[in-house]
Amino acid sequence: MRLAMIVAVALSIAPLSAPAETDAPQPAAKSALLQSIAGDVKADELRATIAKLVGFGTRHTLSDTKSNTRGIGAARRWVKGRFEEFSRQCKGCLQIQMPEQTVTGERIPQASSIVDVLAIQRGTDDPDRIIVISGHIDSRVRDVMDAKSDAPGADDDGSGTAAVIEAARVLSKHKFRATLVYAVLSGEEQGLYGGKLLAQFARDHRWFVEAALNNDIVGNTVGTNGVKDATHVRVFSEGTRSTETPEQATRRRYNGGEVDSPSRNLARFVSGLADAYLTGFSVRMVYRTDRFNRGGDQVPMLAAGYPAVRFTEAIENYTREHEDVRTENGVRYGDVLDAVDFAYLAQIARLNAITMAALAMAPPPPTDVKIEGAVSMDTKVSWSPAAGAASYRVSWRDTTEPHWSNSQSANDATTLLLKDVNIDDWFFGVSSVSADGYVSPVVFPGPAGAFSAAAGAAEQK
Ligand SMILES: [Zn+2]
């Protein structure tokens, strides 16, 4: 009798007493590889890169492309040279591609060439699975059509470009299971042309883009109001998929999934890594695609169905962005080098590099994730096997919680019955886990949460 009572009490509290975990529950033991990558990212390297970029005077999309000292052509060739240098040091591990497209548009009246500089580090086991980091090399002043004036673009987006180059420098010393793509994009300020070109390149090459990490203005720590924040980065992620069909939207509205797109679960994964590997530095997730009514190169990736997030400094300085370099009434305007906080930028570059490494070492996220259990005390979670996964982990959280708070291993099974966890009361997801403990992002069930662009459109469950 007494024993039966104890069992009953234990069962009734089971869902709440499950071990609490951080997002994208990472292995208990920290990865020596991720720690070494974090330690290798250097503020001085980032400073040297931005100083070099600023030295090209302007990197406006419509600026000189022939000169070797001024304009966007010289800047792009210098980036290509950096990638070639890293590739020499890793015995040719980087393949450099420069997709190009001639475009005209509202901000490009004369047909002009958009050129992206990509360095591709092929994965050892799973080369078609792609993790992208991007930043935009083009810069501007107040008049978006002014291709002549000095436009140093130290923060916007010399900082993001420097994070991409630093990731390439550090990560090209290691080998990863999935492919890493380092993308320096053009034409952002004229209309996200380089991001569109990258999305098209990914489609043309039938890449399975698991994650795109866009870095745009990631080096400023003092706001226009003088408030300083050097301990957070904002990670913006869309709530529902850009590619959701009306039928999928109807189902999602009914059963939930507004805050569980693959991009949102990627943001949670990034947040979990910051907590595990960085000291005194954390992610502020923002439940938006970008800043209010503003845009960036993650948007064309999202439009193509790829999970993508935007990293942006915690607090912006509007006297620096898109301004002519000048001093007026004692206020300095313009996006100049000495306003960048390099130690802060290094933390964001570190977070990007360890995120890419963690994603590329983990197996692909599970597909065909389903939940069943209506009118039952238990919930059954199932999924298809992921190549290279040694085990799987099911996570769940209260429907109003921002982070995954509970998880349980399914070992190598592709189904898990959660006893006394009622399907009505929780959101669920699944991660795949490698034999050496790397965990994929959590995948929310159905098309709302699927990581594959094709699966998002096809999974009509
Ligand atoms: Zn920008």
Side-chain angles (χ1 to χ4, degrees):
M1 177 68 186
R2 191 195 277 172
L3 184 65
M5 260 181 67
I6 291 167
V7 170
V9 168
L11 279 177
S12 72
I13 60 165
L16 297 174
S17 63
E21 302 266 354
T22 58
D23 279 320
Q26 292 299 315
K30 281 195 193 174
S31 152
L33 173 65
L34 299 193
Q35 285 177 312
S36 129
I37 287 166
D40 200 7
V41 170
K42 297 285 191 298
D44 285 350
E45 291 281 344
L46 294 157
R47 180 197 297 267
T49 296
I50 301 180
K52 186 70 193 180
L53 291 170
V54 169
F56 293 109
T58 175
R59 305 184 306 279
H60 192 279
T61 298
L62 307 177
S63 63
D64 192 339
T65 57
K66 300 281 187 288
S67 163
N68 277 325
T69 53
R70 187 177 176 87
I72 193 166
R76 280 194 299 245
R77 288 190 293 279
W78 178 78
V79 170
K80 177 171 180 272
R82 285 295 277 162
F83 286 153
E84 286 167 346
E85 209 178 306
F86 303 149
S87 193
R88 273 195 297 277
Q89 285 159 19
C90 63
K91 301 188 169 61
C93 77
L94 299 180
Q95 181 201 353
I96 293 142
Q97 296 251 0
M98 297 180 75
E100 183 170 357
Q101 188 180 25
T102 303
V103 302
T104 50
E106 195 188 329
R107 291 176 168 190
I108 304 189
Q110 310 286 337
S112 305
S113 192
I114 300 293
V115 183
D116 289 342
V117 187
L118 311 180
I120 301 169
Q121 183 177 344
R122 278 179 70 81
T124 52
D125 300 27
D126 201 0
D128 296 328
R129 182 162 61 97
I130 310 287
I131 319 295
V132 183
I133 181 173
S134 63
H136 71 85
I137 195 168
D138 60 302
S139 63
R140 62 170 285 189
V141 289
R142 179 171 272 201
D143 173 3
V144 71
M145 300 309 296
D146 180 351
K148 294 268 184 270
S149 300
D150 277 350
D155 192 33
D156 187 10
D157 184 28
S159 62
T161 301
V164 172
I165 293 171
E166 184 64 355
R169 186 185 72 80
V170 169
L171 296 174
S172 60
K173 299 174 188 173
H174 306 275
K175 289 200 184 328
F176 299 96
R177 292 169 183 145
T179 292
L180 305 182
V181 173
Y182 311 99
V184 171
L185 308 175
S186 301
E188 197 271 349
E189 305 290 6
Q190 310 310 113
L192 310 180
Y193 288 100
K196 291 174 197 164
L197 185 55
L198 174 65
Q200 189 58 49
F201 189 87
R203 267 196 296 247
D204 291 347
H205 289 80
R206 299 178 177 280
W207 283 354
F208 161 46
V209 178
E210 180 183 337
L213 313 177
N214 187 41
N215 286 263
D216 199 348
I217 53 169
V218 284
N220 177 71
T221 50
V222 180
T224 317
N225 58 2
V227 172
K228 180 166 183 169
D229 187 342
T231 57
H232 299 92
V233 60
R234 287 181 290 171
V235 175
F236 292 85
S237 58
E238 68 177 9
T240 60
R241 300 182 80 115
S242 301
T243 52
E244 185 179 56
T245 66
E247 294 74 26
Q248 291 168 353
T250 301
R251 180 71 59 133
R252 185 259 307 151
R253 219 161 17 238
Y254 205 87
N255 287 329
E258 285 75 14
V259 290
D260 277 281
S261 69
S263 305
R264 181 63 47 75
N265 278 308
L266 175 60
R268 294 188 174 106
F269 181 88
V270 175
S271 174
L273 284 170
D275 292 344
Y277 287 92
L278 300 180
T279 308
F281 196 82
S282 59
V283 167
R284 270 176 43 211
M285 290 200 298
V286 183
Y287 281 20
R288 281 194 169 116
T289 299
D290 207 309
R291 300 147 308 150
F292 188 74
N293 272 345
R294 296 160 76 196
D297 285 319
Q298 76 282 9
V299 174
M301 295 300 274
L302 293 167
Y306 303 132
V309 294
R310 176 188 177 127
F311 290 75
T312 293
E313 58 211 21
I315 189 159
E316 292 178 63
N317 193 319
Y318 307 114
T319 59
R320 300 293 182 184
E321 293 173 22
H322 300 184
E323 275 292 354
D324 301 332
V325 180
R326 68 193 193 281
T327 301
E328 214 173 270
N329 301 325
V331 179
R332 292 183 62 204
Y333 292 85
D335 194 356
V336 297
L337 183 68
D338 65 11
V340 176
D341 182 333
F342 296 99
Y344 174 75
L345 170 56
Q347 291 284 50
I348 297 175
R350 237 164 242 140
L351 182 54
N352 274 266
I354 62 172
T355 299
M356 293 180 81
L359 290 167
M361 292 307 282
T367 53
D368 305 312
V369 176
K370 293 184 184 70
I371 50 171
E372 298 162 73
V375 217
S376 154
M377 289 297 113
D378 311 326
T379 300
K380 182 185 165 195
V381 186
S382 62
W383 54 94
S384 293
S391 66
Y392 302 91
R393 183 164 276 275
V394 170
S395 296
W396 67 101
R397 66 179 205 271
D398 187 275
T399 62
T400 61
E401 264 183 290
H403 293 279
W404 296 105
S405 47
N406 305 284
S407 75
Q408 187 177 318
S409 176
N411 299 313
D412 59 355
T414 55
T415 176
L416 183 69
L417 187 72
L418 295 169
K419 290 287 288 173
D420 294 299
V421 181
N422 192 299
I423 195 169
D424 304 335
D425 299 347
W426 307 87
F427 284 153
F428 301 88
V430 189
S431 316
S432 45
V433 186
S434 68
D436 49 359
Y438 291 96
V439 185
S440 82
V442 178
V443 182
F444 187 84
F451 266 69
S452 152
E459 280 182 29
Q460 293 289 345
K461 295 282 153 23

